[in-house]
Amino acid sequence: MAEHQEDVHEVHRHPAPTGFIRKYIFSIDHKVIGIQYIMLALAAVIVGMIMSLLMRLNLSWPGTSWPILETLFPTGAPGGVMTPEFYLSLVTMHGTIMVFFVLTTAPQGGFGNYFLPIQIGAEDMAFPYLNMLSFWVTLVGFIVILLAIFVEGNQSLGEAFTALGPSFAGGSGTVGPIGGWTGYAPLSTLGKIAGPGQGAGMNLWVISIAIFCVGSLLGALNFITTLLNMRTKGMSLMRMPLTCWAWFTTAVLALLSFPVLLGGGILMLLDRIAGTSFFIPSGLYVSGLLSGTNPNFPLHTGGSPILWQHLFWFFGHPEVYIAILPGMGATSHILATFARKPVFGYRAMVFAIFAIGLLGFFVWGHHMFISGMSPYSAIAFSVLTLSIGVPSAVKTFNWLGTLWGARIRFTTAMLFAIGFVSLFVAGGITGLILGQSSLDLPMHDTYIVPAHFHLVMGVASIFGMFAALYFWFPKMFGRFMNETIGRIHFWITFIGVYTIFVPMHIMGIVGMPRRYSSFTEYRFLDSLHPLVVLVSVAAIVTITVQLLFYFNVFWSIFKGKKVTNDNPWEATTLEWTTATPPPHDNFAGVLPVVYHGPYEFAVPGAPKDYIMQTDTTAEVPSGNGHNGKH
Amino acid sequence: MGRVLAVIIWIITLLSVLLFVSGKWWFPEGISSHAPALDRQFMITIVVVGIAFAAAQIGLGWTVWKYRDTGASADRAIYTHGSNRLEVLWTVITAVVFITLGLMGQSVWASLRLNDAPPGSYTVEVVAQQFQWNFHYAGKDNKFGRTDPKFIDDGSLNFIGLDANDATGADDSVISSLVIPVGRPVELRLRSKDVIHNFWVPQLRFKQDLVPGMEIKVHFTANKIGKYELACAELCGQLHFKMRSYMLVLPEQDVQALQQMPQEQFQARMAELLNQYQLPTY
Amino acid sequence: MATMVSTRPVIQKGAGGGPGMPGPNGNGSKRGPFREPDSRANRYRIGMWVGLASIAMMFTSLSSAYIVRSGTAADWVPLRIPRVMFLSTALILISSVTIEVARRKLKQGFTERYSRYLLLTGILGVAFLGAQIISWRQLASQGIYVATHPHSSFFYLLTGAHGVHIAGGLLALGVLWLRSRRKSGNSPGFAATRQATADAVSIYWHFMDGLWIYLFLLLILWR
């Protein structure tokens, strides 16, 4: 036992780093790594937003010449007018960059890395060097996918890449592959003969995703081990903040789903480079060439395009829960803090997070109802999909219960957390439509699908990140973000995103198909043009106001109002017990001891309306209020 | 701030609901035999969705209005960690509503997908390619000629690879538009030459992927004569947006007459008919 | 709402030192002992199991692709497994024994034998990879490459992916062995950490062995 005691209370081994490189660049400190992930996401989201802006311009004012495009991409946008393949490459890269490098980095690798160890009372993650490695691997993945923009967009660079092999032929004038972020085979496996951008751009896409998988898996390993092994004295699982439960479940989802994508990606790369036929069937005739009759189109036999879909969506569905769960955790946490009330139904919230995570593995087929897979499995997937709405609804009820009887303080963080609830309901509820196999018959691949997933991922999840940033910024940087600018940011973004995505549902009902670079070919779409323009105008405004947000972030890091109190929001969890910003080992050598649950607000008879988890003087009633359990 | 937030949430809710119920933009008229059941299921679903959406947003607005901290009283928030009874109650209710909806939503699917096309269906082979549709009609002998990819030659217009040596194929026609008889079950045999495409006519309330390497059989019945736009609904390359064709639903005898014609006559007559019939007004 | 609390104070006296004073276990945890933190050394074992879960998922996805692909088309031509693979299987089985012996010797305090058995395991691991490479070359000499037919594609892929992971394991073995040659440290917790890392690497190695048996049987039996 003596050894165990020493083993546990060992003073933090690494002395604080000195020197700019060890402190800010190649740092093993989870706090620095967390900020690095957030910065990566902030950079990636700019690229993604510019791409979506260009897409909206093309859809609303087709045929217009945009001079800047002519300068940058003379092949992809001759005369400044986007070619269809240029548009499709924007669609593909926007989706890929946003889903992977924004939604799978900042909520988990960013805020999770920074605050999980502190919230459980640990000095760092279990494997700090692995943590650093996972960030840099992710960054390399980002660089590789950005490379696709240049290799496809630039003629000479594209031709240089062809030296690596025929499937690396680039320079088609697009900004990357054109197969969508889902990369369905065989379009994605046939190379340039199937379309521009499908050469080098597609190879770089697969390689980037494979690298990202590795980075993500390393991170997930760290999160799970840290949470299981390094909780401080008194921090039982049911005393953890809901943010920790969310990060934990997200890490488990990542651990079990990313390897499947990696497997599929390897198979796809082999099909493209090594001439295998995992996903490519026999007897194809593409661009005037029959399979096996031309060096540009080697012989393929017997592969299954649907196999790619199964592998991709087995990953793809848990991935979207990876994107939203941290936001749910942050929302619960922030709602309780600024409602000055415990989270309503903490235990139910934990079970709901588990249920969402677990069920998330059994519903991937709802992306494939009309793919040609067995119609019997479609029925099973459909019923399971509708059942996953139940834990999500339970969470919504509990958020409303948290606000009921509250004393709400409307900080910017709180506004975004409330906005999360509103947007999550709006987006999630249309899952009831898309999850039914019958209704998928008219709705598949129409605009109701992006309407649904943007509201949950591209807005609700983002609002979770905004809320987290406004909330934790003071602890991270010792300064507040500007509340006035924050409010303007909130109002315009909140109203803006609804204006963008609610009309998209209507577009989907009328029948507007996804991934069309132009809607001018079909008469049944003509009536939608005013809505298309409305959406684009709203998008332009909403994207512009994010500039204010960026200004607020970077200005406040250096010039924001200084924090004078380690716990400015009067919150209860462990990150608010430590210095601002926390020292290198988080707790200055003395690990905290936890006596209470994470959300002891408004305890009757307590001197203040909150009791911190480390508070040794306060008594919290057992029985009533805790439902007898704590 | 709480009141403003509540009002904005309610206005957004109201405008969203109005957009849906305005009727200005909605599904085009359904013409297939399963369309009424499908549209009914959609209406039930959208009503449930609408009620849930509105109730949640109204509830959210109400809580942020009523429970904003006005600083007026020194009272704290209500101290409670929740209610097991409520949790059970709303879990059960939600589960019952959602799962019922889910089970109801299987009936149209089952009727279309779990059984083969009824005997006596009118059969057309559909072969999709980047970026056109090829519809293969069985001709006078009502038998489809043999096809093989090795015979495909886009240059000489043998798009689907008809075997020139096969007698049953001699009278077949391959046209770029679909023509089917009204009121009679239609079976489509869906194939693809290159990548995944998707057959879609909005008025049919029906979609299916065409997967290379597979022959997928689907069936439906169209009940209204007319001309309808046909679109590709699975990303297939840069001209995916332009992969358009038409579906003509004609009286049975007109379709039979067409089927008797050789390729060039069939094609010419189709062009005339496509001019003659108008798209629905939208 | 019987369980909702009004704002009336309901502080109950617990088994503590009276109102205002924390009980022996602190407040809020009157049911059950204080949760003691886990030992630092355990994280290596936990981390390894977690990592193995993800490796298992990847090979599961490749296996399911294998099974699906074997059923979809007529071009499935199962190849004859090179005989040398039976040798590599034997080698890896023995190496599992040697690493387990190494691990136990360390536990019993025989650090010198621990080091020797680690080395032996490493040698067997290298021999395993060598045998795998020989089997690849045998296939190549018969004209069977990655793209020849689907069974060969999976053959190369599965053995290759497994081999990459064995190489990683050899790296870890090498690090362990080098460390075992250095004089023991005497900082607190050193022994526990050393045992934990040895445990973790042997868990990994056993898993790779088991994975090989599974892949070997899959390639032979599912045809």
Side-chain angles (χ1 to χ4, degrees):
Chain A
M1 263 333 272
E3 189 187 272
H4 173 86
Q5 292 288 70
E6 283 159 355
D7 170 49
V8 157
H9 297 299
E10 207 172 312
V11 169
H12 185 75
R13 290 181 177 201
H14 317 274
T18 51
F20 187 80
I21 302 272
R22 292 304 317 266
K23 268 174 100 166
Y24 299 114
I25 312 285
F26 292 109
S27 168
I28 57 168
D29 185 335
H30 68 101
K31 299 186 287 298
V32 174
I33 295 171
I35 294 179
Q36 288 176 324
Y37 268 105
I38 293 174
M39 292 295 150
L40 171 61
L42 285 176
V45 85
I46 291 182
V47 178
M49 278 198 296
I50 292 176
M51 291 181 167
S52 64
L53 185 62
L54 288 173
M55 283 154 52
R56 293 309 318 169
L57 293 179
N58 188 53
L59 290 176
S60 311
W61 299 284
T64 310
S65 164
W66 306 98
I68 185 158
L69 286 183
E70 166 141 50
T71 328
L72 290 173
F73 298 103
T75 322
V81 182
M82 271 184 239
T83 53
E85 54 266 28
F86 188 84
Y87 176 86
L88 287 176
S89 66
L90 289 172
V91 170
T92 307
M93 298 293 274
H94 166 86
T96 311
I97 289 175
M98 291 303 212
V99 171
F100 288 105
F101 296 99
V102 179
L103 295 176
T104 316
T105 50
Q108 182 82 350
F111 295 104
N113 241 321
Y114 199 113
F115 287 101
L116 176 72
I118 304 180
Q119 284 192 334
I120 61 170
E123 300 157 340
D124 203 319
M125 283 284 193
F127 307 113
Y129 283 97
L130 208 63
N131 205 10
M132 177 173 76
L133 187 64
S134 67
F135 169 73
W136 286 98
V137 168
T138 307
L139 182 64
V140 168
F142 186 54
I143 292 171
V144 171
I145 201 146
L146 289 181
L147 195 59
I149 298 178
F150 296 104
V151 173
E152 287 295 350
N154 182 288
Q155 205 66 36
S156 42
L157 191 56
E159 272 157 30
F161 256 70
T162 317
L164 289 169
S167 67
F168 278 94
S172 58
T174 61
V175 293
I178 61 170
W181 87 287
T182 49
Y184 278 12
L187 179 60
S188 58
T189 48
L190 292 172
K192 221 169 168 181
I193 54 168
Q198 295 300 86
M202 193 68 215
N203 271 356
L204 289 171
W205 185 93
V206 180
I207 292 169
S208 160
I209 300 298
I211 295 172
F212 185 89
C213 285
V214 173
S216 207
L217 287 171
L218 296 177
L221 199 161
N222 231 332
F223 273 68
I224 296 171
T225 310
T226 305
L227 190 136
L228 290 177
N229 178 261
M230 293 175 73
R231 281 168 290 129
T232 189
K233 189 168 163 115
M235 181 59 82
S236 63
L237 285 174
M238 294 310 259
R239 282 190 187 160
M240 289 199 308
L242 283 171
T243 39
C244 297
W245 279 113
W247 288 319
F248 177 65
T249 311
T250 303
V252 173
L253 289 178
L255 190 80
L256 301 178
S257 66
F258 270 102
V260 178
L261 179 65
L262 185 58
I266 292 173
L267 296 179
M268 178 173 275
L269 207 54
L270 286 175
D271 267 7
R272 292 180 55 85
I273 296 180
T276 52
S277 302
F278 296 110
F279 306 125
I280 309 177
S282 21
L284 293 189
Y285 185 95
V286 185
S287 291
L289 301 172
L290 183 63
S291 173
T293 61
N294 186 292
N296 275 336
F297 194 10
L299 181 68
H300 290 282
T301 56
S304 166
I306 299 188
L307 178 60
W308 164 258
Q309 293 181 43
H310 278 296
L311 291 172
F312 180 84
W313 285 117
F314 185 89
F315 148 78
H317 197 81
E319 162 67 8
V320 309
Y321 292 113
I322 289 170
I324 193 85
L325 280 174
M328 289 179 162
T331 295
S332 301
H333 194 81
I334 294 170
L335 282 181
T337 305
F338 293 111
R340 315 307 296 163
K341 251 191 97 197
V343 168
F344 194 94
Y346 173 92
R347 213 164 254 262
M349 289 298 235
V350 174
F351 287 137
I353 291 177
F354 276 162
I356 291 173
L358 182 66
L359 284 171
F361 274 103
F362 298 121
V363 299
W364 80 90
H366 66 232
H367 301 271
M368 296 168 61
F369 285 136
I370 47 81
S371 64
M373 75 171 181
S374 150
Y376 291 96
S377 60
I379 294 179
F381 280 122
S382 181
V383 177
L384 280 165
T385 302
L386 279 250
S387 66
I388 213 175
V390 178
S392 307
V394 165
K395 290 191 82 69
T396 307
F397 294 135
N398 280 304
W399 286 321
L400 291 175
T402 306
L403 292 173
W404 177 89
R407 292 282 180 271
I408 302 175
R409 299 179 180 173
F410 290 98
T411 58
T412 309
M414 184 56 161
L415 288 174
F416 276 104
I418 295 171
F420 177 98
V421 178
S422 173
L423 289 160
F424 176 71
V425 170
I429 207 85
T430 49
L432 288 179
I433 302 175
L434 292 168
Q436 293 180 52
S437 47
S438 307
L439 298 186
D440 197 54
L441 285 170
M443 314 260 58
H444 171 82
D445 238 54
T446 61
Y447 258 66
I448 200 171
V449 179
H452 166 73
F453 69 65
H454 274 96
L455 273 176
V456 271
M457 291 206 299
V459 194
S461 182
I462 303 273
F463 267 53
M465 282 191 258
F466 283 144
L469 189 58
Y470 283 98
F471 181 64
W472 276 315
F473 194 94
K475 179 57 62 175
M476 293 161 75
F477 299 109
R479 292 176 188 268
F480 289 98
M481 283 178 75
N482 184 293
E483 280 286 302
T484 312
I485 299 180
R487 273 170 224 275
I488 299 174
H489 176 220
F490 168 74
W491 286 115
I492 300 184
T493 307
F494 187 61
I495 296 172
V497 294
Y498 266 113
T499 316
I500 298 171
F501 296 112
V502 170
M504 278 195 193
H505 294 85
I506 293 291
M507 293 178 196
I509 290 175
V510 172
M512 182 169 269
R514 287 178 76 181
R515 298 160 167 180
Y516 270 35
S517 55
S518 159
F519 299 125
T520 51
E521 299 291 316
Y522 293 88
R523 303 286 66 78
F524 74 92
L525 297 176
D526 288 342
S527 66
L528 290 170
H529 193 73
L531 282 181
V532 173
V533 174
L534 171 67
V535 166
S536 301
V537 170
I540 293 169
V541 171
T542 311
I543 290 176
T544 308
V545 89
Q546 305 312 310
L547 292 173
L548 263 184
F549 166 71
Y550 275 85
F551 170 75
N552 198 355
V553 171
F554 291 102
W555 185 86
S556 302
I557 289 179
F558 301 105
K559 296 271 200 235
K561 185 174 95 173
K562 275 198 167 170
V563 170
T564 50
N565 174 337
D566 283 337
N567 187 4
W569 306 126
E570 297 188 304
T572 54
T573 44
L574 292 182
E575 72 269 32
W576 305 105
T577 65
T578 185
T580 306
H584 173 64
D585 69 347
N586 296 338
F587 295 102
V590 181
L591 293 178
V593 177
V594 170
Y595 295 93
H596 306 286
Y599 300 115
E600 293 302 330
F601 293 101
V603 177
K608 291 192 281 197
D609 78 335
Y610 65 102
I611 296 175
M612 301 197 74
Q613 285 192 278
T614 46
D615 193 326
T616 51
T617 58
E619 284 197 43
V620 165
S622 62
N624 277 347
H626 289 251
N627 305 306
K629 312 235 184 284
H630 207 55
Chain B
M1 180 63 62
R3 281 174 296 188
V4 176
L5 183 56
V7 169
I8 301 257
I9 289 176
W10 290 335
I11 292 178
I12 290 174
T13 308
L14 184 63
L15 291 176
S16 304
V17 172
L18 282 178
L19 184 62
F20 274 76
V21 305
S22 74
K24 182 160 158 56
W25 291 286
W26 203 246
F27 287 112
E29 180 198 8
I31 64 165
S32 61
S33 58
H34 66 269
L38 195 145
D39 287 356
R40 197 165 42 241
Q41 177 65 18
F42 186 84
M43 283 315 295
I44 295 172
T45 306
I46 204 92
V47 165
V48 169
V49 164
I51 292 175
F53 171 71
Q57 306 292 349
I58 291 172
L60 184 64
W62 181 78
T63 52
V64 303
W65 179 306
K66 178 139 195 254
Y67 297 107
R68 66 197 193 283
D69 185 5
T70 52
S73 110
D75 265 353
R76 295 180 181 168
I78 297 178
Y79 179 71
T80 172
H81 278 269
S83 157
N84 276 348
R85 224 162 22 132
L86 262 186
E87 299 291 349
V88 171
L89 189 66
W90 58 44
T91 305
V92 168
I93 293 179
T94 314
V96 167
V97 171
F98 286 9
I99 307 240
T100 307
L101 206 54
L103 291 171
M104 284 169 69
Q106 305 309 317
S107 57
V108 172
W109 177 266
S111 73
L112 287 174
R113 295 298 169 107
L114 297 188
N115 47 308
D116 292 333
S121 300
Y122 181 75
T123 309
V124 180
E125 258 193 14
V126 184
V127 180
Q129 70 181 75
Q130 288 176 325
F131 300 96
Q132 72 186 50
W133 294 94
N134 303 299
F135 297 97
H136 180 195
Y137 301 88
K140 252 196 318 214
D141 62 358
N142 227 3
K143 291 201 182 62
F144 288 101
R146 201 175 84 85
T147 57
D148 192 301
K150 66 176 186 267
F151 299 121
I152 297 178
D153 184 1
D154 282 2
S156 62
L157 304 185
N158 189 354
F159 292 112
I160 68 169
L162 273 170
D163 184 352
N165 290 327
D166 184 10
T168 55
D171 60 349
D172 291 7
S173 302
V174 179
I175 314 280
S176 60
S177 314
L178 177 64
V179 60
I180 57 171
V182 68
R184 179 171 153 199
V186 168
E187 181 185 52
L188 297 180
R189 300 189 184 160
L190 304 171
R191 294 195 278 125
S192 167
K193 275 163 74 169
D194 40 31
V195 298
I196 301 181
H197 300 270
N198 186 295
F199 171 91
W200 184 45
V201 176
Q203 283 83 353
L204 277 182
R205 305 285 194 272
F206 183 87
K207 252 190 206 96
Q208 176 56 45
D209 274 359
L210 285 79
V211 183
M214 291 174 75
E215 184 183 76
I216 298 173
K217 296 188 188 162
V218 292
H219 60 92
F220 57 83
T221 307
N223 286 332
K224 186 165 177 186
I225 289 171
K227 174 170 122 176
Y228 307 98
E229 288 168 300
L230 167 74
C232 179
E234 190 66 55
L235 177 56
C236 57
Q238 68 269 39
L239 296 184
H240 170 58
F241 74 104
K242 237 179 153 149
M243 194 165 151
R244 187 191 63 183
S245 182
Y246 295 100
M247 179 177 83
L248 263 184
V249 183
L250 295 181
E252 177 76 43
Q253 55 271 42
D254 292 6
V255 176
Q256 287 307 324
L258 280 169
Q259 185 131 330
Q260 308 303 313
M261 298 177 191
Q263 167 99 11
E264 295 76 27
Q265 211 186 339
F266 195 144
Q267 210 146 1
R269 183 80 186 108
M270 275 296 280
E272 279 172 20
L273 288 166
L274 285 171
N275 263 332
Q276 188 186 318
Y277 284 90
Q278 297 305 314
L279 290 174
T281 44
Y282 293 111
Chain C
M1 305 287 169
T3 48
M4 296 289 204
V5 172
S6 69
T7 51
R8 203 170 33 85
V10 282
I11 297 176
Q12 288 161 12
K13 295 193 174 68
M21 292 290 291
N25 281 343
N27 287 316
S29 71
K30 293 183 170 53
R31 305 167 38 250
F34 239 154
R35 188 220 167 249
E36 289 294 330
D38 197 4
S39 82
R40 191 191 151 84
N42 253 345
R43 78 184 56 168
Y44 298 103
R45 282 180 279 257
I46 295 175
M48 184 51 69
W49 283 113
V50 172
L52 289 178
S54 75
I55 296 176
M57 278 311 285
M58 190 181 92
F59 281 95
T60 304
S61 77
L62 293 178
S63 304
S64 73
Y66 177 87
I67 291 171
V68 165
R69 182 67 173 83
S70 71
T72 52
D75 60 343
W76 186 264
V77 179
L79 54 75
R80 248 223 336 242
I81 305 293
R83 305 224 137 252
V84 68
M85 278 205 158
F86 287 90
L87 172 65
S88 49
T89 307
L91 285 170
I92 201 173
L93 277 170
I94 299 172
S95 72
S96 249
V97 173
T98 55
I99 199 175
E100 185 60 23
V101 169
R103 193 184 72 86
R104 287 179 195 210
K105 289 297 172 211
L106 179 64
K107 212 159 188 184
Q108 293 157 12
F110 298 114
T111 46
E112 188 47 47
R113 290 188 212 179
Y114 162 65
S115 179
R116 268 190 264 138
Y117 276 97
L118 272 183
L119 183 61
L120 187 52
T121 310
I123 292 171
L124 287 167
V126 171
F128 169 83
L129 281 183
Q132 297 290 75
I133 293 176
I134 291 175
S135 70
W136 279 20
R137 302 190 109 207
Q138 283 186 352
L139 282 179
S141 69
Q142 294 166 35
I144 300 176
Y145 301 96
V146 171
T148 310
H149 50 68
H151 194 235
S152 76
S153 305
F154 275 103
F155 180 88
Y156 279 102
L157 175 63
L158 290 171
T159 55
H162 178 262
V164 164
H165 286 86
I166 288 285
L170 284 172
L171 216 66
L173 274 174
V175 168
L176 274 189
W177 181 72
L178 283 172
R179 277 196 201 160
S180 72
R181 313 273 298 150
R182 272 190 285 134
K183 209 156 161 28
S184 282
N186 50 13
S187 63
F190 173 84
T193 304
R194 186 176 57 177
Q195 184 68 45
T197 44
D199 287 349
V201 174
S202 42
I203 292 170
Y204 181 87
W205 196 263
H206 291 313
F207 182 86
M208 285 303 142
D209 183 3
L211 180 62
W212 172 251
I213 305 295
Y214 160 74
L215 291 174
F216 189 54
L217 290 174
L218 184 70
L219 286 167
I220 291 185
L221 297 178
W222 186 282
R223 306 163 71 79

